């Protein structure tokens, strides 16, 4: 192999590595979301109020209302969940095993509603 061939190979390898680094950096910048997806309960609302996830994904619901209890539940023919009382600052994980559209409601605040699309 001539010196020029070797240099060409090194340059090609460096280009591949640089491209890979750009992909990784871009992924970090846009913050590609992964399960568990954070959901905040704040001001007697879920934030966000609607989310699309995949079957088997988990929502991690955090009670960010410093002085309020919440109580998340799902009551559907396909899937049921009940967090029990959620103390301020507590976290509750909900994993959705089946596809469909679901509502996470709050047993304490009837207006709180989170729509979950499970694909
Ligand atoms: Cu609530």
């Amino acid at each position: 192999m001539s010196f020029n061939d070797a240099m060409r190979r090194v340059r090609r390898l460096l280009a591949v590595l640089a491209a890979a680094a750009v992909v990784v950096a871009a992924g970090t910048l846009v913050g590609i979301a992964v399960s568990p997806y954070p959901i905040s309960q704040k001001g007697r609302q879920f934030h966000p109020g609607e989310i699309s996830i995949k079957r088997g994904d988990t929502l991690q619901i955090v009670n960010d209302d410093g002085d309020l209890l919440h109580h998340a539940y799902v009551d559907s023919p396909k899937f049921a969940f009940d967090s029990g009382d959620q103390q301020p600052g507590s976290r509750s994980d909900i994993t959705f095993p089946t596809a469909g559209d679901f509502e996470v409601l709050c047993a304490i605040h009837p207006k709180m509603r989170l729509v979950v699309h499970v694909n």
Side-chain angles (χ1 to χ4, degrees):
M1 193 193 313
S2 75
F3 177 75
N4 279 342
D5 283 345
M7 284 310 290
R8 220 171 285 136
R9 283 189 186 194
V10 167
R11 239 179 272 129
R12 203 175 306 142
L13 179 64
L14 287 177
V16 169
L17 288 176
V22 166
V23 169
V24 170
T28 305
L29 284 178
V30 299
I32 291 172
V34 289
S35 185
Y37 294 90
I39 304 286
S40 173
Q41 295 163 308
K42 195 159 181 59
R44 294 187 177 84
Q45 288 186 325
F46 289 103
H47 302 277
E50 185 166 7
I51 190 169
S52 293
I53 61 174
K54 290 198 294 288
R55 188 157 41 96
D57 281 347
T58 298
L59 303 183
Q60 184 168 76
I61 300 184
V62 181
N63 182 355
D64 286 321
D65 271 322
D67 52 359
L68 291 175
L69 277 182
H70 293 296
H71 186 140
Y73 71 95
V74 177
D75 185 14
S76 116
K78 284 184 179 177
F79 174 63
F81 170 86
D82 191 307
S83 70
D85 283 346
Q86 300 167 275
Q87 301 292 332
S90 69
R91 292 161 191 267
S92 308
D93 287 353
I94 312 180
T95 300
F96 290 80
T98 48
D101 293 330
F102 300 92
E103 281 184 333
V104 180
L105 302 172
C106 178
I108 298 172
H109 308 105
K111 287 180 181 166
M112 288 181 68
R113 183 168 170 265
L114 164 62
V115 177
V116 184
H117 306 286
V118 183
N119 299 304

